[in-house]
Amino acid sequence: AFTAGRRFSGRRGGACLAAGGSHELRNPLSAISLSMELMQEELRQPSMDSQAQLAEAMAEIRTELTRMHELVQDYLSLARLAAIRREQADLGTFVKACAQEMEERATRRGITLFLCGLASLGEVAFHPNTLRRALLNLMQNALEAMPQGGSLTVAAQGTASHVQIEVRDTGGGVPAESLPRLFEPLYTTKPGGTGLGLYIVQEIVKAHEGDVTVQSGAGRDTTFTVILPRHAAAVGHTLVEGVARGCQ
């Protein structure tokens, strides 16, 4: 499994993210500006196609505003990490609720959602808002990897000191040469991607004193594994591979 170990920190990391954020915001702003110019032109010189043209421009503006909102939420997630306070709560119930948020999206894409082992996880120290963001990022990533449908499995198990959550998809896999870069900020293999989703997952998990790994390859299932300490400052854990495979 490839472990998200390398971190981009300090002045270099901040400059990298600032430049990337500026670039990613500039793109949707340019698209919105262009759509507004087209709308103004249609209003000045209406034609038989004006209604369709205006509707198309409005749809483009909505799409770009959604993209900007997601980008801002990504950066806010990173900004909050320095001050998170973890509290003991039932992790299985929390993970199930996160998965259920994705259920409708999965169904629309022809994807079946499987949950396994969540009821027995018990209490874990975590920060709900940031951990929710990490889990949703992983599940959204999995959905996008299966445009033709498939299955998304969220499985978990725990020990006295740690818990392990797996998010597995049956998509086309990740080429071996891309695996080492998946957690780098601003690296993306998806058209229109910000390259922040998995980087944010990595940073949130590390803020919880945990680890995140990925197993994949071209033409294979992809499994992201998040390991968290059950209590703050717990150390030492063993990765148990294939937890999600026994859930279907």
Side-chain angles (χ1 to χ4, degrees), residues 99-114:
Q100 288 174 335
E101 286 188 50
M102 306 297 291
E103 194 164 12
E104 184 179 345
R105 295 186 213 177
T107 300
R108 288 200 305 265
R109 293 169 178 254
I111 296 169
T112 304
L113 176 63
F114 295 94

Side-chain angles (χ1 to χ4, degrees), residues 38-39 42 47 49-58:
L38 292 173
M39 291 174 69
E42 288 295 332
S47 66
D49 296 329
S50 289
Q51 187 171 355
Q53 295 288 342
L54 290 171
E56 184 177 339
M58 286 295 294

